[in-house]
Amino acid sequence: MVTRCGQVDGFYYFAYGSCMCPVDLKRSLGENTHDYVVGPAYLLDYRLGFFRYSSRRQCGVLDITPHPNSIVHGVLYHLPHYLSAGLDRREQGYVHHRVAIHCRGQQFPDTRTYTVVDKLNHECAPNDWYFDVVMRGAWTCGLPESYCWQLFNHMHRLQTQLAV
């Protein structure tokens, strides 16, 4: 449904893992999601971690946890409501969480993101495929270069520890 201002009636969604990549999100939702990207965004007082093992992806996948003075960068989408159920299916093992996101000099106080329900007590390394999708989304959607390198190094360090 389109509102009087021409915007799609929907919800804001903050992606910080593989959903940052609009191509991968399209694979799950069956619709081109590039047009729904609002822009690079960030969440204060949280940090990233690989606290879930995905049997579907056969590797560790990203999660966020509260952590003072930390920041998680990601992508803010404005998705139509009819994609909500598909997003929930994609995010099995996660639960909706409402957060305040900062994007393009504005705050979006009622933004949906997902957090892992049953967190591991240690981080589990991503596989190469997941690693690539996360990095592709981060670069494609314009996350800060320093954050991209931090993300790259974190995933590489987890993979290297696993190989030892």
Side-chain angles (χ1 to χ4, degrees):
M1 176 173 159
V2 178
T3 65
R4 279 185 270 170
C5 297
Q7 280 195 317
V8 173
D9 183 28
F11 62 98
Y12 288 103
Y13 164 56
F14 178 67
Y16 54 83
S18 60
C19 287
M20 289 190 296
C21 178
V23 173
D24 194 57
L25 189 56
K26 175 186 177 182
R27 180 184 54 78
S28 298
L29 300 181
E31 184 171 323
N32 184 352
T33 56
H34 281 93
D35 293 340
Y36 301 129
V37 173
V38 177
Y42 61 92
L43 171 63
L44 297 174
D45 296 324
Y46 280 80
R47 74 177 180 95
L48 283 177
F50 287 84
F51 299 114
R52 179 170 190 267
Y53 179 81
S54 169
S55 55
R56 182 171 49 102
R57 296 189 189 257
Q58 297 292 302
C59 69
V61 292
L62 281 165
D63 182 25
I64 55 172
T65 58
H67 194 265
N69 302 315
S70 293
I71 188 168
V72 173
H73 286 269
V75 176
L76 182 64
Y77 289 91
H78 188 254
L79 297 173
H81 281 297
Y82 65 84
L83 293 178
S84 182
L87 189 59
D88 285 347
R89 279 190 299 278
R90 177 187 171 110
E91 298 296 346
Q92 289 179 349
Y94 290 77
V95 65
H96 289 196
H97 191 70
R98 296 289 177 184
V99 292
I101 297 299
H102 303 268
C103 178
R104 301 191 186 276
Q106 296 180 26
Q107 186 171 6
F108 296 80
D110 191 31
T111 300
R112 180 192 302 183
T113 196
Y114 290 82
T115 58
V116 170
V117 175
D118 295 317
K119 298 177 189 306
L120 299 172
N121 60 4
H122 62 281
E123 288 192 273
C124 185
N127 61 24
D128 290 342
W129 181 87
Y130 189 83
F131 189 123
D132 290 343
V133 169
V134 169
M135 291 309 304
R136 185 172 53 238
W139 286 115
T140 300
C141 290
L143 270 58
E145 183 177 350
S146 61
Y147 186 81
C148 289
W149 279 112
Q150 179 185 349
L151 185 57
F152 176 92
N153 287 327
H154 184 86
M155 291 190 289
H156 179 67
R157 188 171 39 256
L158 286 172
Q159 286 185 330
T160 304
Q161 289 172 355
L162 182 67
V164 173

